[in-house]
Amino acid sequence: MNDLQLFGLPARQGRWLFLPLGITAMLCLGTVYSWSIFRKPLTTALTKQGITISATDTLLPFATLLVVFAILMPIASRYIERYGAAKVTAVGGTIVGLGYFLSSFANSIPLLVITYGLIAGAGIGIVYGVPIAVTAKWFPDRKGLAVGLTVVGFGLSPLITAPLAGLLIDTYGINNTFRIFGVAFTAILLAIATQLRFPPTDWQPSPQFAASPTDAEPDRLLSSPSFFALWICYAIGTLAGLMAVGIASNVGKEVVGLDPSMATAAVSIFAIFNGVGRPLFGWLTDRLKPKMAAIISYVMILIASIVMLNTGKGQVVNYFFAFSLLWLSLGGWLAIAPTATLSMFNPVNYTKNYGIVFTAYGAGALLGTLVAGSAKDIFGSYTNAFIPTAILAIIGISIATFALKPDAKSQQILS
């Protein structure tokens, strides 16, 4: 297999081109993190039609997408090797594009929940695992680096898609923006699908590389107290982070008084922190163990919450500081949780185990939406949403301190 060619290069060199392909796919999928850019024009468009909508209503399509994504991703990942990377990406990419395109015709929140939340969310859940699986297979010698670089695209997506969405909405309107994104995402993901494939089963990056044994031992994830501690910690971390994603632009405009262009730019800046959080907390989790990395994340959430509770008109520095911490923490949990799953439980069962743990991401999205929307609807300001995040951060610190530890029986199996 030493003569295997990829993109006209020997496979050992050509495999690196799967990384930009995977990052590009993730940039398309991660446009969900730019949802706060859509909320204000969406509210304006529906209000002109005589439809009264609440803050919670405008967050429902966003939350639904994340919940569907979190549920479907681990299910779809089990079928990638059966049907092939290209077919799964093509099907999922078409569904993503269809969801965005149909959203342009939605004239109510319930319809947006179906088109954007259910349909686009299903497409994202189908595609998300493919670039990760492909790079992991082609880089058995550098799996962490390859997968880490691939998923950074999801977190950094708003750096590109937020200003692009803002420009398109200002130029063509929100409905045409959904259509443009739908067509573009379908075309890009279908093009990428034609290039994705797995290596032959006996391929190795070098004759010296020896694959890890794959003999599986039974796992006990759902009966382990450590699982419930990790699941709750992950849900709390993503609740605060995804809440911040959903309301970033609106808080900038309504609480701090930023003009729309500055609020859009802020989302792009926060995306950098989201992207940086993944490798940073991956490194911290390796060095300090999941417990300490989780505690650091919760301290950041607590500080950010306290700062936002004392932020008002014109306090731009407070806003940027607090939301940077919240987006950084969100990116951090997308490194802490998989690393913790790998280190706390039998690593042979990692794919199955992390699929179950990842459902906490969907729970965090749903609860974060309810917290943010209820605060706005009941109190008239998003500021009060940071009271529950501060309380939950303290709860998270306690759970991480006393319960976030390796499962004892899994460790006995491995010892």
Side-chain angles (χ1 to χ4, degrees), residues 1 3-11 14-15 17-18 21 80-81 83-89 130-139 191-201 203:
M1 288 295 174
D3 57 348
L4 182 66
Q5 297 282 306
L6 285 174
F7 308 106
L9 298 169
R15 63 179 177 158
L17 294 178
F18 284 118
L21 289 175
I80 295 172
E81 291 194 46
Y83 294 106
K87 289 182 180 178
V88 175
T89 302
V130 182
I132 295 173
V134 169
T135 53
K137 290 284 188 180
W138 281 107
F139 289 87
I192 291 173
T194 64
Q195 303 301 315
L196 296 181
R197 60 188 174 109
F198 292 116
T201 53
W203 183 83

Side-chain angles (χ1 to χ4, degrees), residues 62-103:
F62 167 75
T64 302
L65 185 151
L66 293 176
V67 171
V68 172
F69 161 45
I71 293 172
L72 199 57
M73 186 276 284
I75 297 173
S77 294
R78 300 186 179 191
Y79 296 93
I80 295 172
E81 291 194 46
R82 179 185 298 182
Y83 294 106
K87 289 182 180 178
V88 175
T89 302
V91 170
T94 301
I95 295 173
V96 171
L98 180 64
Y100 271 89
F101 191 82
L102 292 178
S103 294

Side-chain angles (χ1 to χ4, degrees), residues 64-384:
T64 302
L65 185 151
L66 293 176
V67 171
V68 172
F69 161 45
I71 293 172
L72 199 57
M73 186 276 284
I75 297 173
S77 294
R78 300 186 179 191
Y79 296 93
I80 295 172
E81 291 194 46
R82 179 185 298 182
Y83 294 106
K87 289 182 180 178
V88 175
T89 302
V91 170
T94 301
I95 295 173
V96 171
L98 180 64
Y100 271 89
F101 191 82
L102 292 178
S103 294
S104 69
F105 300 100
N107 56 7
S108 68
I109 292 297
L111 283 176
L112 270 173
V113 167
I114 294 171
T115 58
Y116 184 84
L118 294 178
I119 298 176
I124 292 172
I126 292 170
V127 176
Y128 184 86
V130 182
I132 295 173
V134 169
T135 53
K137 290 284 188 180
W138 281 107
F139 289 87
D141 53 335
R142 303 186 183 188
K143 186 179 296 185
L145 172 65
V147 172
L149 288 174
T150 301
V151 298
V152 160
F154 197 88
L156 288 179
S157 178
L159 183 64
I160 297 172
T161 58
L164 178 59
L167 176 63
L168 291 174
I169 290 170
D170 290 341
T171 306
Y172 301 108
I174 188 166
N175 289 335
N176 284 326
T177 298
F178 275 127
R179 289 177 194 135
I180 292 169
F181 274 0
V183 172
F185 292 162
T186 301
I188 293 170
L189 292 172
L190 285 178
I192 291 173
T194 64
Q195 303 301 315
L196 296 181
R197 60 188 174 109
F198 292 116
T201 53
D202 57 346
W203 183 83
Q204 297 297 342
S206 66
Q208 294 77 27
F209 179 80
S212 301
T214 57
D215 296 337
E217 294 284 353
D219 210 343
R220 54 185 299 274
L221 185 79
L222 294 177
S223 62
S224 169
S226 297
F227 160 72
F228 293 100
L230 176 58
W231 195 95
I232 294 171
C233 285
Y234 195 9
I236 292 173
T238 52
L239 182 155
L242 292 172
M243 185 189 80
V245 168
I247 65 175
S249 178
N250 297 75
V251 169
K253 289 180 283 191
E254 298 175 23
V255 176
V256 184
L258 298 180
D259 62 67
S261 61
M262 188 62 181
T264 299
V267 174
S268 295
I269 293 171
F270 299 147
I272 298 174
F273 286 89
N274 188 10
V276 169
R278 299 162 197 243
L280 173 62
F281 272 87
W283 177 79
L284 286 173
T285 305
D286 285 339
R287 294 292 298 270
L288 304 177
K289 306 303 179 187
K291 178 174 76 172
M292 285 306 302
I295 291 172
I296 291 171
S297 169
Y298 290 135
V299 169
M300 289 165 50
I301 292 172
L302 181 59
I303 292 172
S305 299
I306 293 172
V307 169
M308 285 308 302
L309 286 169
N310 294 279
T311 296
K313 292 289 184 183
Q315 294 182 297
V316 178
V317 174
N318 282 10
Y319 165 69
F320 273 91
F321 174 72
F323 271 75
S324 294
L325 286 182
L326 291 169
W327 284 59
L328 181 68
S329 174
L330 174 62
W333 271 103
L334 290 165
I336 296 171
T339 306
T341 304
L342 193 63
S343 64
M344 290 169 58
F345 305 96
N346 188 346
V348 172
N349 298 316
Y350 167 73
T351 301
K352 178 185 71 177
N353 286 347
Y354 186 59
I356 298 171
V357 171
F358 191 72
T359 59
Y361 178 95
L366 182 59
L367 293 174
T369 296
L370 295 175
V371 168
S374 298
K376 172 66 174 175
D377 293 334
I378 296 172
F379 301 103
S381 172
Y382 290 107
T383 301
N384 289 288

